Amino acid sequence: MSIFVGSKYEHQTLLNFAKLVDECEEYGIPVMAVTAVGKELEKREARFLALCSRIAAELGARVVKTYYCSENFEKVVDGCPVPVVVAGGPKTDLR
């Protein structure tokens, strides 16, 4: 489920996510949070993505899917207590 931290829908998406986690926990279903930032590319930096990922984990996400940022992505991974998977990110020269 997507959460929109830093948007006008932040409060509602976090509440909906927490409710989903509560319901899924009853049945042993793990929930993945997607830290959606939409077209706001300036928010795709490590500090913001780390915050979003941490919030998702603290609300009960078992896995967090977030965007890759070319600088300090280890900050995102190190600050999140659950596995992090990459949703996409900027083009790089890495092969």
Side-chain angles (χ1 to χ4, degrees):
M1 177 178 194
S2 294
I3 58 171
F4 295 89
V5 176
S7 77
K8 69 179 187 176
Y9 302 108
E10 175 180 340
H11 181 75
Q12 190 60 47
T13 60
L14 294 178
L15 283 176
N16 289 344
F17 183 75
K19 289 177 187 175
L20 177 67
V21 168
D22 286 345
E23 291 177 18
C24 289
E25 284 291 322
E26 290 182 40
Y27 299 98
I29 301 170
V31 178
M32 178 173 67
V34 180
T35 61
V37 296
K39 296 179 182 179
E40 299 167 322
L41 297 176
E42 70 276 359
K43 290 188 176 178
R44 291 185 185 183
E45 59 184 39
R47 182 176 178 205
F48 180 77
L49 297 173
L51 172 66
C52 296
S53 299
R54 182 68 185 214
I55 289 170
E58 289 181 1
L59 288 175
R62 299 283 182 92
V63 176
V64 173
K65 184 175 180 182
T66 193
Y67 294 94
Y68 178 77
C69 55
S70 55
E71 293 184 23
N72 299 320
F73 189 70
E74 64 276 1
K75 179 178 182 174
V76 178
V77 175
D78 291 344
C80 188
V82 299
V84 174
V85 296
V86 176
K91 289 185 178 184
T92 64
D93 293 332
L94 299 175
R95 293 180 187 237

